[in-house]
Amino acid sequence: MENKCDAQTDCCETKNSSCGPKEECCPVETAIQCWDSAFCEAMREVQVDILKAKIKGAWGPMMEKVADAVIESMGTKWHSMLASGKAKVDLREKIVKIWSEKR
């Protein structure tokens, strides 16, 4: 693919509409793509912030209760995982000790 930057218009012309590797793309087109992407990202962040406030206002108390239930459940699960992990470590230590004993 051949890229040609026109010094008078400071834009790229490509044989097909997509650029090759970044270093081959026209800096102006790359900058435009970056700004376009940043705009879309910023717009999405604003949308998320607006929705967060509305969701919290509409469902906040219910979601607080759900969050409490999730924390309680995950805490139980976490402690169970720790106990299971400790049981495995203890078993390994016992096996090593048994195998290490002289017969």
Side-chain angles (χ1 to χ4, degrees), residues 3 6 12 16-18 24 26 36 54 59 68-70 73 76 80 99-100:
N3 291 329
D6 182 347
C12 288
N16 40 4
S17 61
S18 62
E24 293 179 14
C26 176
D36 183 53
K54 296 207 178 274
W59 300 326
D68 290 341
V70 168
S73 177
T76 301
S80 172
W99 284 350
S100 299

Side-chain angles (χ1 to χ4, degrees), residues 42-73:
M43 181 70 78
R44 185 179 182 290
E45 288 175 11
V46 170
Q47 291 168 338
V48 167
D49 290 342
I50 290 169
L51 285 174
K52 281 182 182 180
K54 296 207 178 274
I55 289 169
K56 192 169 187 175
W59 300 326
M62 177 193 58
M63 291 184 80
E64 289 289 338
K65 290 178 185 176
V66 171
D68 290 341
V70 168
I71 291 295
E72 181 181 340
S73 177

Side-chain angles (χ1 to χ4, degrees), residues 70-88:
V70 168
I71 291 295
E72 181 181 340
S73 177
M74 288 296 148
T76 301
K77 182 178 177 181
W78 183 258
H79 288 293
S80 172
M81 288 169 41
L82 291 174
S84 176
K86 184 180 181 325
K88 288 179 183 178

